[in-house]
Amino acid sequence: MLDFLADVGETVLSTLRDVTPIVVILVVFQVVVLRSRLPNIRGIATGSVMVLLGLALFLIGLEQALFPIGETMAQQLTEKAGAGAGALAGAVRWQDYWVVYLFAAAIGFATTVAEPSLIAVALKAKEVSGGAVNAWGLRIAVAVGVAIGVSLGCFRIVTGTPLPWYIVVAYVVVIIQTFLSSRTIIPLAYDSGGVTTSTVTVPVVAALGLGLAANVPGRSPLIDGFGLIAFASVFPIISVLGYAIVADGLERWRRRSDRQEVEP
């Protein structure tokens, strides 16, 4: 219990050091540059304390729950895959780790759908577009991209292939899709890659990558364990742009069919 309280105190102090510069910048800008008094000082102080405690508790939760769960699941799934014929022969066969890819896709999809930042962006996009952008459809499209990206990232860890190969090819696809997509969806698609790497997705995905690299023979957590976040960032852009291209194509086909039915 004493060790836990000591960890809490240390985390709170560390968070205070991180948050203080932000508060100082905001206060100085308000008072010196804008030359106006701070509105609702009591509310600002209360909110700052809540932010401090919230961040501290969140960081403690990561260390106590999310990171251990991700690493444990990766270890257990890797051991299950390692019991296959490939492990007995002394070689790592990517086919033996299919359950890892399936789990990575499932956890990537689930964490992204529940990502608060993505929910906020999707609702705002629906509001600004007047309902043209479906909030739930956007969340699903982004989640599918993350699921594919994280699963492919786990495949890269298992096979030990270089990370730049995947990222370069992925961004080439993004560039091609950009020229084929409507201008209205491109900024939203690009932002979708950023909002996925937030409070819920990053801890679980990072722990999964590190745990997988630590348990696959011949892989290094330092060299191979990182990089899943890059996959989780670029593939949502691909999925959203792909969804928009397909939707636009279907809409044009529907309009063409309607015109043909009207014409004698």
Side-chain angles (χ1 to χ4, degrees):
M1 184 63 180
L2 293 178
D3 292 339
F4 175 75
L5 293 177
D7 291 339
V8 171
E10 182 179 351
T11 304
V12 170
L13 291 177
S14 176
T15 306
L16 179 61
R17 289 194 297 267
D18 295 335
V19 172
T20 298
I22 301 175
V23 176
V24 171
I25 291 174
L26 294 176
V27 172
V28 170
F29 191 89
Q30 178 76 19
V31 175
V32 177
V33 179
L34 298 180
R35 298 183 181 277
S36 60
R37 298 179 58 184
L38 291 174
N40 191 14
I41 296 179
R42 179 177 298 179
I44 293 176
T46 303
S48 299
V49 173
M50 290 182 178
V51 168
L52 174 64
L53 295 178
L55 287 175
L57 292 175
F58 174 70
L59 293 174
I60 294 172
L62 292 183
E63 294 294 333
Q64 297 291 330
L66 291 185
F67 277 123
I69 288 176
E71 293 174 356
T72 301
M73 289 296 297
Q75 179 181 357
Q76 293 174 345
L77 291 171
T78 305
E79 290 175 351
K80 178 179 177 63
L88 295 177
V92 176
R93 298 195 313 167
W94 66 268
Q95 300 94 328
D96 296 332
Y97 292 83
W98 64 269
V99 67
V100 176
Y101 312 142
L102 182 61
F103 171 76
I107 199 66
F109 183 90
T111 55
T112 304
V113 169
E115 189 66 64
S117 57
L118 176 60
I119 295 174
V121 169
L123 293 176
K124 183 59 66 175
K126 179 180 180 180
E127 176 185 342
V128 172
S129 65
V133 176
N134 184 281
W136 184 248
L138 177 62
R139 290 170 60 188
I140 294 298
V142 173
V144 169
V146 174
I148 296 173
V150 175
S151 182
L152 185 60
C154 289
F155 171 82
R156 183 201 70 83
I157 294 175
V158 171
T159 58
T161 46
L163 175 64
W165 293 1
Y166 297 87
I167 301 303
V168 169
V169 171
Y171 275 106
V172 168
V173 173
V174 169
I175 293 173
I176 295 173
Q177 288 180 310
T178 300
F179 287 103
L180 299 176
S181 301
S182 171
R183 292 177 56 188
T184 57
I185 196 64
I186 293 174
L188 180 60
Y190 279 31
D191 282 348
S192 298
V195 297
T196 57
T197 53
S198 189
T199 54
V200 178
T201 307
V202 169
V204 178
V205 171
L208 175 63
L210 292 173
L212 182 61
N215 290 279
V216 174
R219 303 295 174 259
S220 167
L222 180 60
I223 299 176
D224 303 301
F226 295 98
L228 282 186
I229 305 302
F231 283 89
S233 298
V234 64
F235 275 86
I237 304 177
I238 295 176
S239 63
V240 172
L241 289 177
Y243 170 76
I245 292 173
V246 172
D248 289 343
L250 292 176
E251 180 64 19
R252 286 195 296 268
W253 177 81
R254 186 186 64 81
R255 291 178 180 176
R256 189 181 303 112
S257 299
D258 292 342
R259 286 197 301 267
Q260 291 176 352
E261 292 178 358
V262 172
E263 293 176 356

